[in-house]
Amino acid sequence: MDGTERLANFVKGGWSEPAGADYLNVKNPATGEILATVPLTPPEEVDRAARSAAAAFAAWRRVPAPTRIQPLFKLKTLLEEHFEDLSRTITLENGKTLDDARGEMRRAIENVEVACGIPTMMLGDFSEDVAPGVDEYMIRQPVGVAAIICPFNFPAMIPFWYLPYALACGNAVIVKPSERTPITAHKLIRLVEEAGFPPGVVNLVNGAASTVNALLDHPAIQAVTFVGSTPVARHIYSRAAANGKRVQAQGGAKNPLIILPDADLETTTNIVSDSAFGNAGQRCLAASLAVTVGEADRVFRPVLIEAASTRVVGYGLEPGVQMGPVITPESRDRIRNLINKGLDEGAEVLVDGRDTVIRGYEGGNFLRPTVLAGVKRGTVISTTEVFGPVLGLMRVETVEEAIELVNSGEHGNMACIFTSSGAAARKFRSQAEAGNIGINIGVAAPMAFFPFSGWKNSFFGTLHAQGKHAVEFFTQTKVVVERWLEGWSRKF
Ligand code: NAD
């Protein structure tokens, strides 16, 4: 892509530019270079996509599940064949390192693999003789048309938390990628097209808030999945639910890591540093607060400072780079302002990444890792999602105090503990109020066959992304009670 390409939508099996759309520039966050332009799809075109999906659904739901998964097997092969190009595209438009992009692609593919098990995962239940001559059974049927609304930070993985399951269960989908990272989705949907799903079963509409709202209001759409920030997740959840749709909305996070004095020094330091600064802190599972217990502060503070100050920041396509830019100049300003706010609130800066220029990439949105010590409870910096490479240090005296601190937070996406004590880890696992728990793990990302859990303000809904939860979300149960009395049948 050379900056002149106008990205198209994919509707009814064809690529088209939406009539009357405004266009936004898609920029490489490391260079500022324009990579392509993306349309802001107006409601009329959302309507065409929804009607195309609804029409295709009628036939697709009748296709037997073992046949429905055949294009997914083909898609898995295509994703492997295009693995390097897709990873590179993620780095170009998102900024993460090529290795991180490859890791993301692997996670996307794992979801395709798991969804190929739908014939088993969709099985129903049967109970014989619930009354004389009466049997009862439950079958799973697809829901209809699902809208999949995605954020910028995992442009390949997040659509695949949903799309393979929705399709395998017999639904039709409309994917709405982030307007900041739409090129990856464009390439992915080209492969989905090549995999051979019937026209209209998969649709792609580009855009931002108004396009999303048209999806939320469309009567032909029955299910909505969303991943993004908490305020928008709340909006999606309430508006789609008010329109009678089933919804799951994953929101933002503020993830604490607890470090006990008996944690392994080297492993813990590497893992904490990667959790806080990997992907430039733009992960919903990024460590935001490191809470040291007792003596751990004295031991871990110097090594965390060292790890933050030596992290190699630069263009994600260059070898040896460990951290790329943040997504936009506005995002960089917001992160700097939050660091400044933390300092106003009494924190002390141990490593300062605010003023960063990378030689040769002066047009990029770079920051270096920042470490703040003495972060106080209840302050803005201790409660607000930074979504940048900033780690706040807090100190408590006991594990109980640490758990209480974790549970006082508004978010519940992830909480981790670092220790060699099984008893402390066990207590933490049981009592911490978060949906994803790491024990000596800094980014507790569930594999595709587990739900991507999330609690409190990090999640609105009941069923989560991936695995069995996705199968339940994309199917509705039908219970049949059936009577066949002996006397009614002809004797043979
Ligand atoms: P975002 O909320 O700005 O945007 C997400 C999507 O919502 C985009 O497609 C965007 O076009 C759309 N959108 C934005 N504003 C809207 C509005 N007012 N009305 C309707 N639609 C709107 O999020 P982002 O900046 O792209 O992604 C980062 C956020 O996503 C972070 O908060 C991060 O924690 C969160 N996230 C959460 C998870 C999770 O599993 N909980 C995973 C990844 C990212």
Side-chain angles (χ1 to χ4, degrees):
M1 306 229 164
D2 60 0
T4 56
E5 176 156 357
R6 282 155 72 95
L7 295 175
N9 290 339
F10 185 62
V11 174
K12 223 175 173 178
W15 292 90
S16 56
E17 291 181 9
D22 291 330
Y23 280 74
L24 288 182
N25 290 332
V26 183
K27 289 187 183 168
N28 181 331
T31 62
E33 168 203 9
I34 297 172
L35 299 169
T37 60
V38 62
L40 301 175
T41 302
E44 301 73 39
E45 187 65 3
V46 170
D47 176 56
R48 197 168 75 88
R51 283 190 289 111
S52 133
F57 168 66
W60 181 240
R61 63 169 300 181
R62 310 295 328 150
V63 175
T67 309
R68 284 201 304 258
I69 58 172
Q70 295 311 313
L72 284 181
F73 284 109
K74 175 132 189 238
L75 180 59
K76 143 92 179 157
T77 307
L78 289 167
L79 291 168
E80 298 288 2
E81 282 170 14
H82 293 260
F83 190 91
E84 279 306 311
D85 177 58
L86 287 163
S87 303
R88 212 183 132 78
T89 305
I90 295 171
T91 299
L92 281 179
E93 66 176 354
N94 169 282
K96 66 179 70 174
T97 65
L98 194 52
D99 268 354
D100 281 335
R102 290 183 180 126
E104 171 175 356
M105 276 304 301
R106 193 47 61 206
R107 288 287 174 145
I109 292 172
E110 281 167 12
N111 277 287
V112 177
E113 292 166 349
V114 172
C116 285
I118 286 294
T120 315
M121 293 167 89
M122 255 185 101
L123 285 178
D125 289 326
F126 191 97
S127 189
E128 192 181 46
D129 290 333
V130 293
V134 178
D135 306 321
E136 186 163 330
Y137 52 95
M138 184 274 285
I139 52 179
R140 292 194 171 277
Q141 296 191 328
V143 173
V145 177
I148 300 173
I149 302 159
C150 306
F152 80 84
N153 66 330
F154 283 90
M157 178 184 77
I158 286 177
F160 278 76
W161 277 358
Y162 307 105
L163 176 140
Y165 305 98
L167 295 177
C169 289
N171 302 279
V173 302
I174 305 171
V175 178
K176 207 301 282 174
S178 166
E179 63 279 21
R180 287 176 279 175
T181 52
I183 304 173
T184 307
H186 181 94
K187 290 192 172 183
L188 287 170
I189 298 297
R190 283 213 178 273
L191 298 184
V192 170
E193 177 188 14
E194 201 179 329
F197 292 95
V201 167
V202 179
N203 302 271
L204 168 76
V205 295
N206 288 289
S210 65
T211 306
V212 170
N213 288 337
L215 289 166
L216 301 179
D217 293 343
H218 202 288
I221 294 173
Q222 284 78 30
V224 174
T225 73
F226 172 85
V227 181
S229 57
T230 292
V232 184
R234 206 187 280 280
H235 161 71
I236 302 282
Y237 186 68
S238 46
R239 185 150 168 174
N243 285 327
K245 305 181 194 313
R246 58 171 66 186
V247 200
Q248 55 167 293
Q250 320 238 9
K254 184 76 185 174
N255 303 307
L257 311 185
I258 310 303
I259 306 175
L260 267 55
D262 63 355
D264 181 81
L265 187 67
E266 195 183 335
T267 335
T268 304
T269 307
N270 289 339
I271 293 176
V272 172
S273 157
D274 191 55
S275 177
F277 309 127
N279 273 26
Q282 297 174 121
R283 275 195 285 232
C284 69
L285 297 181
S288 193
L289 297 170
V291 182
T292 51
V293 177
E295 271 297 278
D297 180 58
R298 189 182 54 75
V299 181
F300 280 94
R301 188 186 280 227
V303 287
L304 286 173
I305 291 175
E306 172 72 9
S309 347
T310 53
R311 199 160 189 95
V312 183
V313 179
Y315 190 22
L317 287 182
E318 284 182 357
V321 166
Q322 296 172 305
M323 190 181 113
V326 296
I327 190 71
T328 55
E330 295 74 28
S331 191
R332 182 179 53 186
D333 290 347
R334 190 184 49 77
I335 295 163
R336 280 188 185 137
N337 289 339
L338 272 166
I339 298 171
N340 294 341
K341 178 76 185 162
L343 298 180
D344 290 347
E345 291 171 331
E348 175 196 357
V349 66
L350 301 182
V351 182
D352 190 347
R354 282 173 292 180
D355 291 321
T356 301
V357 177
I358 304 294
R359 193 177 301 178
Y361 298 102
E362 288 78 6
N365 317 317
F366 288 99
L367 290 164
R368 287 186 197 276
T370 293
V371 179
L372 300 174
V375 169
K376 296 192 185 62
R377 281 180 80 139
T379 52
V380 171
I381 192 68
S382 76
T383 52
T384 309
E385 179 177 45
V386 179
F387 224 56
V390 180
L391 183 65
L393 304 185
M394 298 176 89
R395 189 195 156 138
V396 296
E397 292 309 321
T398 64
V399 176
E400 290 70 24
E401 213 185 318
I403 294 174
E404 193 273 317
L405 176 60
V406 168
N407 293 350
S408 68
E410 284 181 13
H411 296 89
N413 215 34
M414 180 187 80
C416 302
I417 190 165
F418 292 85
T419 180
S420 52
S421 157
R426 191 166 181 273
K427 176 182 251 184
F428 181 80
R429 181 192 73 199
S430 170
Q431 296 182 6
E433 291 174 6
N436 301 294
I437 298 289
I439 297 176
N440 296 318
I441 295 284
V443 181
M447 297 291 288
F449 34 87
F450 283 98
F452 193 100
S453 294
W455 289 12
K456 298 162 93 175
N457 281 352
S458 298
F459 183 72
F460 303 95
T462 311
L463 294 164
H464 295 84
Q466 301 196 140
K468 285 187 218 157
H469 272 222
V471 176
E472 282 196 40
F473 184 80
F474 289 116
T475 54
Q476 47 195 343
T477 52
K478 183 180 275 182
V479 176
V480 183
V481 192
E482 204 170 271
R483 187 193 309 277
W484 293 110
L485 292 183
E486 284 273 339
W488 295 353
S489 302
R490 258 177 68 199
K491 294 271 183 275
F492 294 102

